[in-house]
Amino acid sequence: MGENNRFLNLINLKSKDSFAISDQIQSDLVEASFRTQYIFRNGRFWYLFDKWNLPKSGMIRRWPITNTLDWNPKKNYTESLRKNNSRIIFNVKDTKWESLNVIHVILSLDGNNIGILSDESKQNQLIIFSIDKTEIVNAISNISKEASFCFVGDKILYARNNVEKRPTKLFSETVTGNNQQLIYEEQDDSYRIRIFGSQFYGYAIVESKTLSNTNIFVYNTKSNPSLIKIWKKSFIMPNSYDLVSIKKEVCICFLITTKESKKVCILSCLSSGDSFVQINFSQDIVAREVMGATNAIILINLRDSHQTINIVRINKIPNESYKYQVKSYGLSGNVQVYQNNYSTQNLFVTQSNDNVNEALISLSLSGGTENVLFQNSIYQGIKNDIQNEIILAQSRDGITKIPISIYWESDSNQIPLKRKGVVTAYGAYGKSEIDYALDPVAIAIINQGYVYCIAHVRGGGYLGGKWYRAGKKLKKWNSIYDLIDCCHFLIDTKMLDSKHIGLLASSAGGIVAGAALNEEPNLFTCILLFSPFINPFGALMDVTDSLASSEVFEWGDPRSSNQVKKYIYSYSPLQNIDKARRSSTMILSVMGGQDIYVSNEDVLHWSSKLRKYGVQSYTYVNPQAGHGGIGVNDVDLLGRVLRYFLFRISKGG
């Protein structure tokens, strides 16, 4: 508790200078949390998730359909879909829910029920609410929120955690609370269960996976047994997978990368058991994700660091002599499939060129037509002009170009010079640092006049699988050097002021941040970390940690190879902390008391050693928060942390 008080006393500093950082940062965080929501159709009704910012606010409005042919989402209320003629079927502020900490809500596909997940400290509760009866028909305790849950026909599918807080038990239960069944239990503690609902009645995908292996099941209420293993961990790890309906036959499609580095799609009809059919694509299709639709497969393609859409139209079911056609759409920028897609004729996608504004586009699944429905801001209430540019920094190897996405507030698209800035990087697990929209933290930082820079270092997935593999295992130093090289590029080109640069990182990004601090102790004015992973060497050497066995796929196994052991030790932040002696950088670390992924003790030990070496380091363990250190109710805390972080950058080093 002493460390927490020390941290809070620091960020609550009331000096006159600290007010140079506007109180607006708090309201910016709140406003940017309100993502723009559209009116969409699902089955017999139109829906709007209004003022959606759980657990603080959120209601679901509903209207019956009047035009059976109209599926296009609406930007605003219309003449027939008005606020005053909607029925509110859920409101988090209703007396039924106001005492609960509601964190997630889903609708059943038939429109009859709502699933409400409440985070009640140590025990999560799933409540099933009947819309027509306007009453609670079931309440299920001890739900794993990590595994998710879904409606499958007249059943609810969910998981529970083991003693190590990892989802390992899969349950099925009728919506009304009868006939609870344990249908699968994972015996290997390194595996975690995840549940994916589908738009097809009676089916769901269940995966039990580590970083390197996965078992994939299909749950079907119409068959016995109801859980069928469709993909074995002995098979090649798929890049992506989804259910697809082809001529009324439900299939599962897998996107895989062959040994020849070629992307192919594998189809299996659920009615025909284990038979697989392969669809090959041309070399110019570098697919990163596959999604299912009616008689079509949607490929999210990567081209020139931007996502595009390909629609593979299937004319016959896979176990026949089938034909298929590939239609590519020339969409630029960041393209995402709109989350509420229920039409059997069209696919709705969003296109964003600046991660702040988006266009909603309708693509015909039967081929050909592309129609822009409307354009809109991604965030409600954010009025400032935010500019965006992607620049390329030169790596120290003299060959590699590292993409940097930079954002700044201005009515001019001219790149700013000598500004205060915040750099962020992740560089692990092949995850892209940004796929679609800026998060509220980024918006709040930009609105304070800072340049926000995302360094897309190797080890992340911004430029696909090759980029990811160039920064994992025995190539991890590439991620670290990329971050440092990006910062020097921003300084050398006079985009950022070298005395006013902050670094923001979280989770596995803590490795890159901590190693960068060790390599160049005075590069940053202040570093803000959320649940940083700063002891990979110690974690991977711990034979008692079952999670370590799955992490070796990302970092390597130091217990099996002396070469790997020395390599991981060479960059592990905690083991090389002596390099950071007398650094002028201030370190702020926020952790979650309920975190099951990162050791808080490691971070506290790291911070203590930093202070012994003359480095200002402060830590805060948020008692009820999980991984990331900030819970859904911690907007005030986050605002104060960000405000002090920016104050330190503004003050300069």
Side-chain angles (χ1 to χ4, degrees):
M1 188 56 69
E3 279 297 304
N4 276 8
N5 288 336
R6 183 170 171 265
F7 183 96
L8 293 175
N9 288 336
L10 177 77
I11 67 170
N12 290 336
L13 184 65
K14 300 296 183 181
S15 71
K16 183 178 179 180
D17 289 340
S18 70
F19 288 95
I21 308 301
S22 169
D23 287 329
Q24 184 68 27
I25 197 168
Q26 197 79 27
S27 59
D28 283 344
L29 282 171
V30 174
E31 289 291 337
S33 297
F34 286 97
R35 293 289 301 273
T36 297
Q37 301 289 339
Y38 305 127
I39 299 174
F40 66 92
R41 180 179 165 186
N42 179 6
R44 299 173 290 122
F45 299 98
W46 292 96
Y47 296 91
L48 173 64
F49 283 65
D50 195 11
K51 294 183 174 62
W52 204 254
N53 186 25
L54 298 177
K56 299 292 186 181
S57 67
M59 64 180 71
I60 303 176
R61 298 181 182 274
R62 186 166 87 170
W63 301 262
I65 63 168
T66 55
N67 180 355
T68 58
L69 300 179
D70 184 11
W71 286 88
N72 290 342
K74 314 301 178 191
K75 177 180 179 180
N76 298 307
Y77 293 111
T78 68
E79 184 176 342
S80 60
L81 305 176
R82 306 185 306 275
K83 179 184 289 188
N84 61 7
N85 72 343
S86 64
R87 178 188 172 190
I88 298 175
I89 59 174
F90 172 82
N91 188 346
V92 73
K93 294 184 178 180
D94 280 351
T95 55
K96 289 189 292 292
W97 321 119
E98 63 182 1
S99 63
L100 302 178
N101 192 40
V102 177
I103 59 173
H104 188 46
V105 176
I106 63 170
L107 292 162
S108 64
L109 289 173
D110 58 15
N112 294 332
N113 299 287
I114 302 175
I116 302 163
L117 183 62
S118 175
D119 183 0
E120 303 302 322
S121 185
K122 296 183 180 179
Q123 189 176 89
N124 303 306
Q125 186 178 37
L126 175 60
I127 297 169
I128 311 301
F129 179 73
S130 170
I131 298 173
D132 292 334
K133 296 179 181 179
T134 64
E135 64 179 22
I136 295 173
V137 295
N138 195 3
I140 308 168
S141 61
N142 195 22
I143 297 295
S144 169
K145 59 183 178 182
E146 177 189 347
S148 191
F149 64 97
C150 71
F151 290 102
V152 190
D154 64 346
K155 301 283 184 66
I156 189 81
L157 199 62
Y158 59 91
R160 290 194 170 113
N161 294 334
N162 61 9
V163 293
E164 295 181 321
K165 298 181 180 179
R166 293 168 187 158
T168 56
K169 296 181 180 181
L170 181 70
F171 290 87
S172 165
E173 186 171 335
T174 58
V175 167
T176 54
N178 298 316
N179 195 27
Q180 180 191 94
Q181 290 183 307
L182 173 64
I183 56 177
Y184 179 73
E185 183 173 1
E186 181 57 69
Q187 300 299 321
D188 189 331
D189 285 344
S190 63
Y191 282 73
R192 313 175 95 93
I193 288 175
R194 287 292 305 277
I195 301 166
F196 302 91
S198 78
Q199 61 181 341
F200 307 111
Y201 287 98
Y203 292 89
I205 295 176
V206 177
E207 68 175 20
S208 182
K209 67 180 294 187
T210 66
L211 289 173
S212 57
N213 292 296
T214 184
N215 290 314
I216 301 174
F217 306 86
V218 172
Y219 179 76
N220 177 11
T221 59
K222 302 174 184 177
S223 67
N224 189 17
S226 57
L227 192 69
I228 302 171
K229 182 181 286 188
I230 201 74
W231 195 265
K232 303 173 184 178
K233 66 180 181 181
S234 57
F235 295 172
I236 187 171
M237 185 83 163
N239 304 89
S240 176
Y241 39 87
D242 199 6
L243 293 171
V244 56
S245 176
I246 301 174
K247 301 299 181 182
K248 298 184 179 180
E249 288 277 356
V250 178
C251 306
I252 186 167
C253 53
F254 301 90
L255 180 67
I256 66 170
T257 304
T258 65
K259 293 181 179 179
E260 297 77 26
S261 299
K262 186 178 180 181
K263 293 288 178 69
V264 299
C265 190
I266 304 294
L267 283 174
S268 177
C269 240
L270 298 183
S271 60
S272 59
D274 291 333
S275 61
F276 294 103
V277 176
Q278 180 171 311
I279 296 178
N280 297 297
F281 304 120
S282 60
Q283 290 293 336
D284 63 333
I285 296 180
V286 186
R288 63 188 304 179
E289 185 179 358
V290 64
M291 300 182 70
T294 301
N295 297 329
I297 298 169
I298 314 303
L299 294 178
I300 311 298
N301 192 37
L302 186 67
R303 182 180 298 160
D304 298 328
S305 78
H306 293 299
Q307 291 189 166
T308 59
I309 295 287
N310 291 277
I311 294 181
V312 182
R313 179 75 177 176
I314 308 293
N315 297 322
K316 289 186 178 182
I317 61 175
N319 57 355
E320 298 179 9
S321 177
Y322 66 96
K323 296 180 180 180
Y324 63 91
Q325 298 173 320
V326 179
K327 168 63 179 177
S328 297
Y329 290 89
L331 303 176
S332 61
N334 290 319
V335 179
Q336 299 282 325
V337 174
Y338 174 54
Q339 60 182 341
N340 297 310
N341 264 275
Y342 302 102
S343 170
T344 59
Q345 303 299 320
N346 298 292
L347 176 73
F348 302 113
V349 301
T350 56
Q351 176 192 24
S352 174
N353 292 315
D354 58 9
N355 303 105
V356 179
N357 301 289
E358 67 184 6
L360 190 69
I361 301 171
S362 174
L363 307 178
S364 171
L365 288 173
S366 58
T369 61
E370 174 184 327
N371 182 27
V372 178
L373 300 180
F374 52 77
Q375 298 190 22
N376 207 8
S377 171
I378 295 175
Y379 300 100
Q380 297 179 9
I382 299 298
K383 303 295 192 298
N384 299 337
D385 291 328
I386 296 178
Q387 307 295 332
N388 166 240
E389 189 77 31
I390 297 175
I391 58 177
L392 298 175
Q394 178 66 60
S395 167
R396 64 186 61 197
D397 64 17
I399 301 172
T400 307
K401 302 289 186 180
I402 313 153
I404 309 173
S405 296
I406 61 172
Y407 301 84
W408 69 97
E409 179 193 347
S410 176
D411 56 5
S412 168
N413 60 6
Q414 185 173 353
I415 296 177
L417 297 177
K418 296 286 283 187
R419 292 270 290 272
K420 296 171 290 188
V422 173
V423 180
T424 184
Y426 186 72
Y429 304 114
K431 292 183 179 179
S432 179
E433 289 79 9
I434 184 167
D435 274 330
Y436 182 33
L438 294 173
D439 61 27
V441 168
I443 294 289
I445 290 171
I446 296 165
N447 281 348
Q448 290 294 317
Y450 290 71
V451 178
Y452 186 77
C453 309
I454 305 173
H456 302 289
V457 302
R458 281 173 284 183
Y462 189 72
L463 293 180
K466 186 177 180 180
W467 192 253
Y468 162 48
R469 290 188 292 275
K472 66 180 293 191
K473 289 190 175 179
L474 296 182
K475 296 180 179 179
K476 194 66 214 166
W477 271 108
N478 284 341
S479 307
I480 300 158
Y481 288 144
D482 283 357
L483 170 60
I484 295 171
D485 292 343
C486 283
C487 291
H488 283 298
F489 176 82
L490 292 167
I491 293 169
D492 294 342
T493 54
K494 301 189 185 306
M495 294 183 196
L496 295 186
D497 187 330
S498 62
K499 295 182 179 180
H500 301 279
I501 299 178
L503 177 63
L504 180 66
S506 64
S507 194
I511 293 177
V512 177
L517 172 70
N518 291 339
E519 291 303 298
E520 296 208 18
N522 299 311
L523 181 58
F524 304 103
T525 305
C526 188
I527 298 177
L528 174 57
L529 303 171
F530 294 98
S531 296
F533 186 27
I534 45 76
N535 185 21
F537 180 80
L540 292 165
M541 289 293 291
D542 185 358
V543 296
T544 65
D545 186 357
S546 59
L547 189 61
S549 63
S550 63
E551 290 291 311
V552 297
F553 180 76
E554 178 69 19
W555 318 104
D557 187 356
R559 290 176 289 174
S560 64
S561 165
N562 196 46
Q563 179 191 14
V564 175
K565 181 179 180 180
K566 289 181 178 179
Y567 189 85
I568 295 174
Y569 188 95
S570 73
Y571 67 75
S572 188
L574 181 59
Q575 282 69 33
N576 296 277
I577 198 171
D578 59 306
K579 293 182 179 181
R581 287 176 184 271
R582 293 178 291 279
S583 167
S584 61
T585 304
M586 176 179 283
I587 316 296
L588 305 172
S589 301
V590 180
M591 298 159 282
Q594 305 300 315
D595 195 344
I596 60 174
Y597 297 102
V598 170
S599 167
N600 291 337
E601 291 301 318
D602 284 345
V603 182
L604 293 170
H605 179 49
W606 177 65
S607 179
S608 176
K609 290 189 72 173
L610 281 171
R611 291 196 295 273
K612 289 180 180 179
Y613 288 145
V615 183
Q616 297 182 76
S617 182
Y618 297 82
T619 58
Y620 181 77
V621 180
N622 194 356
Q624 300 305 322
H627 190 57
I630 299 293
V632 292
N633 292 312
D634 294 325
V635 175
D636 177 68
L637 172 64
L638 179 59
R640 287 183 288 144
V641 171
L642 279 181
R643 188 178 180 193
Y644 188 81
F645 174 55
L646 298 181
F647 162 63
R648 290 297 307 186
I649 298 170
S650 178
K651 190 175 179 181

